[in-house]
Amino acid sequence: MTPEERAEFRDFVRTHHPDRGGDPDAFVAGMARFATRPETQPEAAAARFDAPIEVVTPLPVPLRVAVALIRTLRWHRQQRRVE
């Protein structure tokens, strides 16, 4: 987005936003003019939020303890180098 486009967008929002007394329908229609990137399209946003939640199983406890130990040892080694 070029600086001119950004300035135009900010000016549009400043003058037409419903929270500032603008018409909600005119605001939605005007926002469609600025929606040029795919991630700003309503369909893309809906697809992102409607996707199923992926549940990730946590690591087993012994592995989590090992990772915490490695991180602690690295932290202590780094602290000795600083001093």
Side-chain angles (χ1 to χ4, degrees):
M1 187 177 253
T2 65
E4 294 82 18
E5 290 172 334
R6 180 176 166 86
E8 182 183 354
F9 171 75
R10 291 177 61 87
D11 183 51
F12 171 79
V13 171
R14 203 176 296 118
T15 56
H16 293 88
H17 197 278
D19 289 347
R20 293 190 167 227
D23 181 29
D25 296 329
F27 181 73
V28 170
M31 287 300 290
R33 183 179 69 185
F34 293 103
T36 57
R37 296 179 302 183
E39 61 268 13
T40 60
Q41 299 297 328
E43 298 84 23
R48 188 178 98 202
F49 289 112
D50 292 341
I53 297 174
E54 181 180 342
V55 178
V56 179
T57 58
L59 295 173
V61 172
L63 187 57
R64 292 189 343 224
V65 169
V67 169
L69 179 63
I70 291 170
R71 288 180 178 169
T72 303
L73 292 174
R74 285 183 180 171
W75 182 81
H76 281 291
R77 189 179 327 151
Q78 183 183 17
Q79 293 302 314
R80 280 191 286 164
R81 289 182 187 164
V82 171
E83 295 172 357

